[in-house]
Amino acid sequence: FLLLFLTSLAVLALARKNGRTHKQKPRAPGELVCEGLPRLWWAHWEETNHRSLAFHSNAGNDHADPKEHAILGGEGLLDLSPLEMQWCDSSGKLFKDLQKYFEYKDKDWDEAETAFILIVADDNENVATATTLEHLLNAVKLYNSITVEQDGFTFDAMDLCARGIFPDNPNESQQVDSPCSIIGPTTCFAEHAETLPAKWKELDANPPANWSYMQYSTRPKFRGATDAEILNEISKGCFGYNAMNGRYPRHFYVGKMEEDVNKNPVYADWEPEFGNPGMQAPLYTKVNAIRLIATVEPPGGVAYRLSQANPEKADIQTVRKAVKKHAKKVSNLLNLNYVKRYTEGNDCKSSELNTPEVGQLDPDCELPQVIMGGMPIYFGDAAVEDFSNPNYLIMILTGIASFLYAGSVTASASRPFESRIVVAFTGLQLISASLILALTIMLSGGMLLSGILVGSVPMVQMGLGADDMYVLIAAFSSMGEEYIRNSDNTELMAEIFAKAGPGVVLTSVCNALSFLCGVFIPLPGLSQICLALLLCVICNLVFLSSTFMAVLGNEANRIRANKPEMLPILSSMQKKAIVAGTASKQEGEIGAKEKWFAFFENTWVPMLSKPALKFGGPLMAVILLALALVSIFEIMALGWFPPDFFPDTSAMKAGINLIFNYFQMFPVQMFIDNVDVAANQKDLIELWAALASTKFTALFPAPNWLTMFYMFLGMFGGMGFEYNSTHSLAEACPLYDSAHGGWNHSYWAPYGIASSDPETFWNCFHWMTDLPDAKDAVENGMSWHPAYMWKDLGTQQWVYDESLEYRPATWHFFYFITANTKTDDDILEMIVDMDDVLDQWPDLKPYIFNCSPFPNYWRAFVGLDMRLWLLIGIAAASVCIVAAVLLGSVKAGIIGMLVAMMIVIDVWGITSAMKPYLKFNPFIVSTCVAAAGLSVEFVSHTIAVFMIGGPGKSGPEKLLEAMKETFLPLVHGTSSTVLALMPMVLSDIPFLTKYFFITLQIVTFLGMLHGFVFLPTFLLATASSAPVEEAIVEAGAVVVADPSEPPEKSKPVVEEVVV
């Protein structure tokens, strides 16, 4: 055992080391690395496209972060791959689409990221006030003033923020830094000019004749304005500094609000078509939530922009680290770590802005009764890291709780030969070793461990292993001290196996078969959990039937040698009892076990044997099952609440909570995979417009890239730009309207569409979008080049076919957004609506994937219930078949199947009834998997003893014997699991408390209810009404064994008969 345990630890350390090293290996663009299932299964999974649970790609990225997807304290071991990939059907289209998305996603030239979001909200009062705007303005100033050190270089906001990627001029006298991109209500007002770079601020106040940018200095002022005047301005939508970008949609920065449709509407170019002149929108009368968004440039854009003026800082890896460090510092300095509720406050003045060293805005400049929250950059990755990062304190307390309970129920200072504390402690170590070995096997096979697995499998393993361990200890103790002293270990082991072996084998085989079938369910996350539990069950059976039996043999040797247990705390007291001759239980002495046995015999069995309970118990179980089914089919809500993933101390919890409460707007990328764009321009635009026009979707502020392409062709072609030495742009790249075989749309294609010839189309496209050499761009003043506008408008994610000279795009996207999805049902309805739209374009549907950060989860979770039903059916069938075969009784198989199935379905039903506190998602599925495993423990031990009960026994007598053999061990195993879960209440991540602590407590409660109440009534109701005499014919006598005495050493009751 020691050798095996140390070997497991060594392999575990090697897997951890290899995991770290593995992430630092260079990869070719687009290369996928298998870190999923064991290698010996790889060929099968590869054939079925079941890819890795945690693959890492750096397509087009030569500077991948070596610690990407790694977490503190667990680099190389924990799987931080996207949750939606772990829990969607790996044989379905969504999995393949997500796989391609993460394979192709280019983090260096991805869309602009969020540096921070500052939200001010109040459910009751209007927050669109001068005080709020002053606060937000000060936050922008603080953001602009912060610098960070990275790799020996200093980065400020102007280095990192999204302000266009045209290279900075190394000649400072000629460089005019454009403003950082800020989306928020302050941009509607003149005071926002205070946040501009110095040179730009001068030009904004006194613009030259050729100044083409929108002035802030001419906009209305919020200082001194009334709330009504401020509401009037922000109702219109706010412009940035560049007129070409249009107004920022007011929905981007206004959350919950009230509109007065009876008052004069104001102009807002937002609905229903972006840029449609004359569109009217109602005036806001009250705004309950408002936000400010600061964005940063993608690392590739920052490096390109710095390449001429600061080439030493233009390393993408350095830039990426600087961006994250800057965002973290911004969050801390804005004091966004906690939700704050201000009770009193004074008017804010711009002069009251504190220096960055102070760490927060002026404490005397507070907002009255307002909640503030923020969310820094990469909040999604941080949420997974926070959730998956092991809480070692909880793990240690869990182990301590298990050992303390084991000691409390097995230790005896006054009766050392009845004490089993060392045996119990060693058994718990064996159960832990089984877990370590199981996880080591997985890691050695190339798998990473998901956060859900790490949070659930150890608890389930404790229940599975502890139940069997306590059953074996109970079987050993039931032999009696006299029998143990008078038997050798061979006889002793045989009798323990005879008593407890059938139950242990039955539960192990049932669980192993169930989890083995679960491994092949094509949900990677569920498959991984089932594989871990399968290995735990196998390791438990191996350890408990070999090493633990040796431990029991050593315990027997100790008793024969009259020695105390090797535990310093008890050893001295036990020695005194041995010397005093009081170490053995005295005849007639009644201990806790005897009191329980008396309760079973005098109270519990007679009560359950009464017809009202004997037949009423199964009826109540069926009623509870019916209620659970109603809850599942009528009440259950699919979904989750993302803020629950964040610790209460997380810097992002406040912001993400406010976003989901007040702002239900998330970007959706309509990815287009291997479609001939040139031949399908009209259909792609119409499909995109239809997808963006459902009840819960809306158009993105910028149009799709095809429309921008047409706009650029028309604008630059009309300006007489040359395409090459022989053709003008208008000649080489004409637009075709409806009259010339093309297509027109009033906004999406006002001048027509591009050529349908792929080579012409993509050659013209690359003329527009390929970035010029940075040095040439600066020296020749090429800021006019359309590629810069193209990049600035967020169209960076492309995959091209480099094998063709004209490089057609094989993977790209159109943007639209979700809107007003306030509930889980709204999100599901949106998904259905988008699917209905796709059905109208059957030729394009197979090549379209609508990807959005949060709706992806709901889409991935659709269909989980059917997979769970499949797993329940597998588990039930396994119990039925194995029990029927091993016990030779179809009745035993059917009863075991029914009760085990009831436990799992009842767990599912109760968690469904706890809506909205609990919602159906992968965590509930993992709970039901745990219930499936633990239900076998609650059912099979009792059924095994009942069916193998002594000869000539009636139903109540067999039940009493089964209770004596199994109930106390099951109570100890269950109580150990319950206590092991208690430290989880200390977790500061609400999701852990909700979906692990509470749900697993429900599992244990329902397991005890069914195992100790409903199962006995099922057995009694189906038992024969009269005892069946079973005899062992032996030399003219029928020997009827008395089960109250130890086997063989007891005196047989002999009835003389004629044979």
Side-chain angles (χ1 to χ4, degrees):
F1 160 68
L2 181 62
L3 179 63
L4 183 62
F5 182 72
L6 293 177
T7 302
S8 297
L9 290 179
V11 175
L12 188 68
L14 182 63
R16 179 185 174 94
K17 178 182 177 182
N18 286 343
R20 286 200 187 105
T21 306
H22 173 71
K23 292 194 169 46
Q24 297 171 355
K25 292 179 181 177
R27 301 181 183 88
E31 177 187 356
L32 290 183
V33 180
C34 169
E35 295 171 351
L37 295 172
R39 307 298 188 199
L40 58 95
W41 291 357
W42 176 244
H44 164 72
W45 290 90
E46 188 174 35
E47 288 174 3
T48 57
N49 289 318
H50 190 150
R51 294 291 180 177
S52 161
L53 299 184
F55 62 84
H56 309 293
S57 171
N58 60 326
N61 178 1
D62 296 328
H63 303 276
D65 189 344
K67 291 191 176 182
E68 181 184 347
H69 292 293
I71 113 177
L72 238 55
E75 298 168 4
L77 298 184
L78 296 186
D79 178 8
L80 299 185
S81 60
L83 189 64
E84 64 268 40
M85 283 200 68
Q86 295 181 35
W87 290 92
C88 71
D89 188 341
S90 60
S91 62
K93 181 177 183 295
L94 178 60
F95 185 89
K96 295 180 177 64
D97 287 335
L98 287 169
Q99 177 179 313
K100 185 164 288 188
Y101 170 74
F102 289 106
E103 175 185 353
Y104 288 158
K105 186 176 176 64
D106 187 347
K107 294 184 179 300
D108 287 342
W109 283 98
D110 207 338
E111 66 272 14
E113 296 279 3
T114 301
F116 75 91
I117 300 175
L118 182 62
I119 301 174
V120 178
D122 190 319
D123 279 332
N124 302 313
E125 301 296 328
N126 172 53
V127 297
T129 64
T131 300
T132 299
L133 294 175
E134 195 74 63
H135 224 301
L136 297 180
L137 191 69
N138 287 343
V140 178
K141 294 178 182 178
L142 185 58
Y143 167 67
N144 289 340
S145 69
I146 293 173
T147 62
V148 294
E149 298 292 326
Q150 183 62 49
D151 297 341
F153 302 108
T154 301
F155 291 84
D156 58 22
M158 295 306 295
D159 288 328
L160 304 173
C161 72
R163 57 178 178 87
I165 66 167
F166 185 76
D168 291 339
N169 197 316
N171 186 342
E172 293 187 8
S173 64
Q174 299 179 18
Q175 173 64 26
V176 179
D177 292 331
S178 54
C180 291
S181 175
I182 300 292
I183 301 174
T186 60
T187 60
C188 281
F189 301 94
E191 288 85 351
H192 190 80
E194 297 172 10
T195 68
L196 302 177
K199 289 185 179 180
W200 195 283
K201 187 186 299 185
E202 294 176 5
L203 294 171
D204 182 85
N206 300 287
N210 62 347
W211 188 253
S212 60
Y213 299 97
M214 301 189 70
Q215 289 180 258
Y216 287 99
S217 56
T218 59
R219 303 180 191 189
K221 295 183 177 182
F222 66 74
R223 292 179 185 137
T226 65
D227 290 353
E229 291 171 335
I230 291 173
L231 286 167
N232 182 73
E233 286 302 317
I234 66 173
S235 295
K236 302 174 183 178
C238 300
F239 281 103
Y241 67 89
N242 192 337
M244 285 195 64
N245 293 337
R247 294 178 188 265
Y248 292 124
R250 57 188 192 165
H251 295 73
F252 264 49
Y253 53 81
V254 172
K256 182 181 177 184
M257 80 295 287
E258 294 180 9
E259 299 176 330
D260 189 347
V261 296
N262 298 318
K263 290 189 177 182
N264 294 328
V266 297
Y267 174 76
D269 52 356
W270 170 237
E271 299 175 310
E273 291 182 351
F274 171 82
N276 186 4
M279 179 59 202
Q280 303 293 301
L283 183 73
Y284 292 146
T285 57
K286 184 167 74 171
V287 170
N288 296 106
I290 207 164
R291 68 176 173 179
L292 183 79
I293 304 173
T295 56
V296 294
E297 207 72 63
V302 173
Y304 182 85
R305 189 172 63 202
L306 295 173
S307 61
Q308 301 306 302
N310 296 281
E312 69 282 356
K313 296 164 62 174
D315 177 74
I316 292 179
Q317 183 77 333
T318 300
V319 169
R320 183 184 287 112
K321 294 176 183 177
V323 165
K324 291 186 177 182
K325 184 180 290 187
H326 189 267
K328 184 176 181 180
K329 189 172 182 181
V330 170
S331 298
N332 292 334
L333 293 181
L334 289 176
N335 204 18
L336 305 180
N337 296 58
Y338 306 97
V339 177
K340 288 192 170 183
R341 182 174 292 276
Y342 296 102
T343 55
E344 296 180 357
N346 304 315
D347 292 337
C348 298
K349 305 297 182 184
S350 60
S351 60
E352 294 175 336
L353 175 66
N354 280 21
T355 60
E357 288 74 18
V358 173
Q360 62 179 14
L361 300 180
D362 194 319
D364 295 328
C365 182
E366 298 175 340
L367 297 172
Q369 299 182 9
V370 170
I371 299 172
M372 290 185 63
M375 183 179 68
I377 196 169
Y378 305 127
F379 68 91
D381 292 344
V384 178
E385 289 186 11
D386 282 338
F387 176 72
S388 300
N389 200 16
N391 189 319
Y392 294 106
L393 174 61
I394 291 179
M395 288 184 176
I396 293 172
L397 291 177
T398 294
I400 292 174
S402 299
F403 278 86
L404 286 178
Y405 179 80
S408 69
V409 299
T410 59
S412 174
S414 60
R415 297 289 183 265
F417 302 139
E418 296 291 323
S419 180
R420 304 286 181 263
I421 185 171
V422 173
V423 174
F425 280 7
T426 308
L428 291 176
Q429 293 176 52
L430 284 170
I431 294 169
S432 301
S434 296
L435 175 65
I436 292 174
L437 179 59
L439 299 182
T440 300
I441 292 172
M442 294 177 66
L443 290 166
S444 301
M447 296 190 74
L448 297 179
L449 309 180
S450 70
I452 299 179
L453 183 152
V454 172
S456 61
V457 168
M459 306 303 173
V460 180
Q461 160 66 355
M462 178 59 65
L464 296 176
D467 285 343
D468 289 342
M469 180 195 74
Y470 283 116
V471 167
L472 290 170
I473 291 176
F476 175 84
S477 297
S478 70
M479 299 292 105
E481 182 184 336
E482 181 181 356
Y483 178 81
I484 293 172
R485 291 180 179 277
N486 296 327
S487 302
D488 61 26
N489 282 350
T490 302
E491 294 174 315
L492 183 63
M493 296 302 108
E495 292 305 327
I496 293 175
F497 275 126
K499 275 180 171 286
V504 172
V505 172
L506 180 61
T507 57
S508 299
V509 174
C510 287
N511 279 325
L513 185 58
S514 299
F515 295 139
L516 176 62
C517 294
V519 167
F520 292 94
I521 293 177
L523 294 177
L526 180 59
S527 172
Q528 189 190 47
I529 289 175
C530 288
L531 177 61
L533 290 174
L534 170 64
L535 294 173
C536 284
V537 168
I538 295 173
C539 293
N540 282 342
L541 184 60
V542 171
F543 279 151
L544 292 178
S545 63
S546 57
T547 312
F548 190 65
M549 300 307 291
V551 173
L552 292 177
N554 287 333
E555 178 70 1
N557 293 337
R558 179 186 70 83
I559 294 173
R560 297 185 192 113
N562 294 319
K563 291 182 178 180
E565 291 182 292
M566 293 185 297
L567 197 69
I569 300 177
L570 291 177
S571 181
S572 59
M573 291 184 286
Q574 290 183 346
K575 283 181 181 178
K576 293 179 181 178
I578 293 172
V579 172
T582 60
S584 300
K585 182 182 291 187
Q586 305 301 310
E587 186 174 354
E589 181 180 344
I590 299 177
K593 181 173 69 174
E594 287 72 24
K595 291 179 181 179
W596 275 108
F597 286 177
F599 171 74
F600 294 152
E601 183 173 2
N602 301 324
T603 305
W604 196 239
V605 172
M607 183 177 67
L608 294 179
S609 300
K610 294 179 180 179
L613 283 179
K614 183 167 67 173
F615 298 104
L619 178 61
M620 287 187 291
V622 171
I623 292 173
L624 183 59
L625 176 65
L627 292 174
L629 290 172
V630 170
S631 176
I632 292 170
F633 290 109
E634 299 296 332
I635 301 176
M636 182 183 76
L638 186 149
W640 61 319
F641 191 52
D644 285 343
F645 264 102
F646 294 85
D648 293 330
T649 56
S650 169
M652 290 155 286
K653 182 156 183 96
I656 194 69
N657 187 59
L658 293 175
I659 282 179
F660 275 86
N661 283 335
Y662 293 103
F663 298 91
Q664 295 82 33
M665 180 181 295
F666 301 102
V668 182
Q669 294 165 303
M670 187 190 89
F671 281 104
I672 303 162
D673 183 21
N674 281 305
V675 172
D676 185 351
V677 177
N680 292 276
Q681 298 174 61
K682 174 178 177 292
D683 287 342
L684 288 172
I685 291 175
E686 289 182 335
L687 171 58
W688 166 76
L691 287 170
S693 303
T694 68
K695 180 179 178 181
F696 296 107
T697 57
L699 296 167
F700 197 70
N704 65 81
W705 69 259
L706 275 176
T707 296
M708 290 191 288
F709 180 40
Y710 305 151
M711 292 167 56
F712 288 168
L713 285 179
M715 178 173 64
F716 288 96
M719 295 168 64
F721 274 75
E722 290 185 357
Y723 177 76
N724 55 30
S725 60
T726 59
H727 293 86
S728 67
L729 180 62
E731 292 171 339
C733 306
L735 293 173
Y736 298 89
D737 58 19
S738 301
H740 297 85
W743 177 67
N744 285 93
H745 185 275
S746 59
Y747 182 69
W748 311 131
Y751 306 111
I753 59 177
S755 172
S756 60
D757 174 64
E759 186 170 355
T760 301
F761 180 96
W762 290 110
N763 281 333
C764 294
F765 175 85
H766 290 301
W767 185 94
M768 288 282 180
T769 61
D770 286 353
L771 281 173
D773 178 77
K775 183 177 180 181
D776 291 342
V778 173
E779 292 177 352
N780 298 312
M782 297 173 65
S783 59
W784 53 266
H785 198 287
Y788 295 116
M789 287 183 281
W790 190 265
K791 292 291 185 182
D792 294 344
L793 289 172
T795 55
Q796 289 92 336
Q797 290 187 30
W798 298 86
V799 175
Y800 299 106
D801 183 354
E802 302 290 347
S803 65
L804 297 174
E805 186 176 352
Y806 57 91
R807 296 164 51 225
T810 57
W811 190 82
H812 46 97
F813 66 88
F814 292 172
Y815 261 132
F816 60 96
I817 60 174
T818 66
N820 299 317
T821 49
K822 299 179 180 179
T823 66
D824 297 300
D825 291 339
D826 291 344
I827 295 175
L828 293 173
E829 184 178 346
M830 178 190 69
I831 291 172
V832 171
D833 290 345
M834 289 194 296
D835 288 343
D836 290 342
V837 170
L838 285 173
D839 288 337
Q840 300 173 31
W841 277 268
D843 294 336
L844 290 176
K845 182 178 180 180
Y847 311 102
I848 303 298
F849 168 46
N850 294 313
C851 180
S852 183
F854 290 104
N856 274 355
Y857 291 107
W858 277 262
R859 181 179 288 277
F861 300 162
V862 172
L864 270 182
D865 54 342
M866 299 307 297
R867 299 296 185 182
L868 182 54
W869 282 119
L870 175 62
L871 184 64
I872 292 173
I874 290 172
S878 300
V879 173
C880 182
I881 295 171
V882 174
V885 172
L886 293 185
L887 299 179
S889 170
V890 175
K891 180 175 70 174
I894 293 174
I895 292 175
M897 176 188 69
L898 287 175
V899 178
M901 183 178 64
M902 284 178 173
I903 293 174
V904 182
I905 294 176
D906 289 348
V907 167
W908 187 2
I910 288 180
T911 55
S912 298
M914 295 177 70
K915 164 191 171 184
Y917 184 75
L918 296 177
K919 299 177 182 178
F920 183 71
N921 52 47
F923 301 90
I924 296 297
V925 175
S926 68
T927 297
C928 292
V929 172
L934 294 176
S935 68
V936 176
E937 300 291 332
F938 285 110
V939 171
S940 297
H941 285 293
T942 304
I943 290 179
V945 177
F946 186 90
M947 292 300 171
I948 306 176
K953 295 286 186 178
S954 66
E957 290 173 321
K958 288 184 177 182
L959 179 62
L960 177 60
E961 188 61 26
M963 287 183 175
K964 290 181 177 180
E965 292 285 349
T966 65
F967 271 28
L968 281 183
L970 289 177
V971 167
H972 293 329
T974 303
S975 301
S976 177
T977 303
V978 170
L979 290 176
L981 293 171
M982 293 304 294
M984 295 188 76
V985 300
L986 301 176
S987 173
D988 59 352
I989 301 179
F991 223 95
L992 289 177
T993 305
K994 285 185 178 182
Y995 288 94
F996 288 111
F997 173 73
I998 291 177
T999 55
L1000 289 176
Q1001 296 289 18
I1002 292 172
V1003 170
T1004 56
F1005 169 75
L1006 288 175
M1008 295 177 70
L1009 176 64
H1010 286 76
F1012 301 155
V1013 179
F1014 294 150
L1015 175 61
T1017 59
F1018 271 101
L1019 293 173
L1020 290 174
T1022 56
S1024 302
S1025 57
V1028 179
E1029 296 292 338
E1030 299 178 7
I1032 303 174
V1033 180
E1034 208 175 78
V1038 176
V1039 182
V1040 182
D1042 184 353
S1044 64
E1045 296 289 338
E1048 294 190 22
K1049 303 301 179 182
S1050 63
K1051 297 179 179 180
V1053 179
V1054 180
E1055 298 177 12
E1056 292 293 339
V1057 296
V1058 177
V1059 181

